[in-house]
Amino acid sequence: MQIKKVGVVGCGLMGSGIAQVSASFGYDTVVREVSQELLQKGLESIRNSLEKFLQKGKVTEADRAATLNRLQGTTRLEDLAGCDLVIEAVTENLEVKKETYVRLDPLCDRETIFASNTSSLSITEMMMTTQRPDRFIGLHFFNPVPLMALVEVVSTLVTSDEVKRTAVQFAKSLGKTPVLASDRPGFIVNRLLVPYLLDAIRALEEGLGTLEDIDQGMKLGCGHPMGPFTLLDLVGLDTTYFIANIMFEEFKEKRFAPPPLLKRMVLAGRLGRKSGIGFYKY
Ligand code: 3HC
């Protein structure tokens, strides 16, 4: 199946990045947010990202103009009707995602592929709210989407082979490397990454070292691009907390249980970069 037009539902941290790469790599892209205010904020972050790439010589002025030309912002879900692929990147809440699919399903062609960018929720549970379980898949991008090379392609028991092939091809066409995973909470990367991040918080709670030293230790000792607390602030403490809870719920293993400090920080609104303060101040 040939993908020409892509819809993205949600223009937050992940949705805006997905819409940006989709438009950058030649797809006509419609991105939808619930309000004009959130839409403008998301489009602004795309413009900022393109500006950085321009300054660094990674794109030309013509590339930037062409990307913005291919990108259409909207607050109407109906405007996604003509898309061949719709990628959903709304807030990591199963009820909100299910509601989105219930509204989207009758608007789109039967052939349209639905892909969720969820990092931990059940693709199977979402797909069952639609009339197209065979044309439903997970496409999990990584933050920051324009820079990160990986996409997890997540199949369920009933995803058709054609949809899998199309999703893999689509990820490659964005310059990303796809890996295949099955529909279990956290897929491959978060299954291994989340216990590590939670352990770093537990180590801090126990007074093992300062956050700067723990970060520096993992950065220089293991060659990681960032230490766990810098990464937690990038991912968002609320997102990490949601994912940890979902994984703990599924596996009932201690290593997925969110530590009390994480919960307290989320309750206090210290969400990381997006709120201006997390483990570090921005
Ligand atoms: N668009 C354009 N530029 C961007 C950007 C974006 N969206 N986001 C950040 N940048 C820029 C920064 O502004 C900075 O530019 P500057 O140096 O001019 O200020 C630059 O990228 C960062 O450059 P650095 O020299 O610090 O680092 P690198 O370019 O070498 O790498 C990185 C940046 C790719 C973010 C690297 O630090 C990294 O790989 N970090 C780990 C990220 C990671 O692990 N992400 C996965 C999180 S888990 C996840 O997403 C799953 C989810 O389900 C939770």
Side-chain angles (χ1 to χ4, degrees):
M1 183 188 174
Q2 177 102 31
I3 304 289
K4 291 198 185 96
K5 190 168 178 186
V6 175
V8 181
V9 193
C11 196
L13 202 61
M14 299 303 284
S16 62
I18 296 168
Q20 179 184 334
V21 289
S22 168
S24 297
F25 284 83
Y27 296 99
D28 284 329
T29 305
V30 189
V31 59
R32 183 260 186 184
E33 245 314 341
V34 284
S35 70
Q36 267 302 333
E37 194 192 348
L38 289 174
L39 180 63
Q40 291 314 323
K41 198 174 159 205
L43 293 175
E44 188 58 26
S45 71
I46 295 176
R47 283 190 285 268
N48 288 340
S49 174
L50 290 171
E51 180 61 34
K52 275 184 198 159
F53 286 151
L54 185 69
Q55 280 168 13
K56 290 181 180 169
K58 289 185 179 171
V59 299
T60 63
E61 184 55 62
D63 294 333
R64 172 167 76 171
T67 297
L68 292 172
N69 255 334
R70 284 189 286 264
L71 193 64
Q72 180 201 335
T74 181
T75 55
R76 288 163 33 94
L77 214 48
E78 291 75 10
D79 290 340
L80 304 188
C83 295
D84 306 302
L85 167 69
V86 175
I87 306 172
E88 166 274 311
V90 304
T91 183
E92 195 69 355
N93 174 309
L94 189 60
E95 288 317 308
V96 177
K97 286 186 189 277
K98 281 180 169 177
E99 258 172 51
T100 305
Y101 287 115
V102 166
R103 286 186 58 200
L104 207 52
D105 197 37
L107 293 176
C108 294
D109 194 274
R110 171 69 184 91
E111 290 300 297
T112 300
I113 297 174
F114 283 1
S116 178
N117 178 58
T118 183
S119 43
S120 50
L121 296 168
S122 164
I123 305 286
T124 307
E125 215 169 324
M126 283 182 259
M127 87 189 181
M128 291 313 287
T129 62
T130 73
Q131 302 297 313
R132 64 186 80 221
D134 56 325
R135 304 193 71 71
F136 203 116
I137 199 157
L139 275 180
H140 182 216
F141 291 79
F142 290 80
N143 181 17
V145 178
L147 302 182
M148 298 300 286
L150 186 72
V151 175
E152 288 178 317
V153 177
V154 185
S155 313
T156 70
L157 296 173
V158 299
T159 310
S160 82
D161 287 342
E162 183 218 352
V163 168
K164 272 185 231 175
R165 275 196 305 274
T166 307
V168 163
Q169 198 43 48
F170 175 72
K172 286 183 180 167
S173 75
L174 301 181
K176 309 285 187 202
T177 300
V179 292
L180 301 177
S182 64
D183 184 26
R184 303 295 308 275
F187 316 131
I188 296 171
V189 174
N190 280 337
R191 176 78 169 257
L192 301 177
L193 177 66
V194 170
Y196 157 71
L197 294 175
L198 301 178
D199 259 348
I201 302 174
R202 283 189 264 270
L204 181 72
E205 278 179 321
E206 284 168 20
L208 180 69
T210 63
L211 41 111
E212 290 84 0
D213 281 351
I214 296 174
D215 261 3
Q216 199 70 298
M218 292 311 293
K219 206 175 148 184
L220 301 183
C222 293
H224 289 187
M226 13 174 98
F229 297 106
T230 312
L231 184 53
L232 278 157
D233 279 355
L234 176 76
V235 168
L237 302 196
D238 51 345
T239 305
T240 309
Y241 184 61
F242 281 138
I243 299 174
N245 275 314
I246 291 161
M247 292 178 84
F248 182 67
E249 191 59 34
E250 171 82 7
F251 300 114
K252 301 285 186 300
E253 287 175 32
K254 211 171 147 190
R255 64 202 174 109
F256 298 111
L261 176 60
L262 178 62
K263 182 175 178 183
R264 291 207 309 277
M265 289 182 71
V266 173
L267 287 175
R270 296 195 164 188
L271 308 181
R273 279 182 201 225
K274 65 175 126 177
S275 69
I277 182 164
F279 286 102
Y280 296 97
K281 273 192 185 151
Y282 298 89

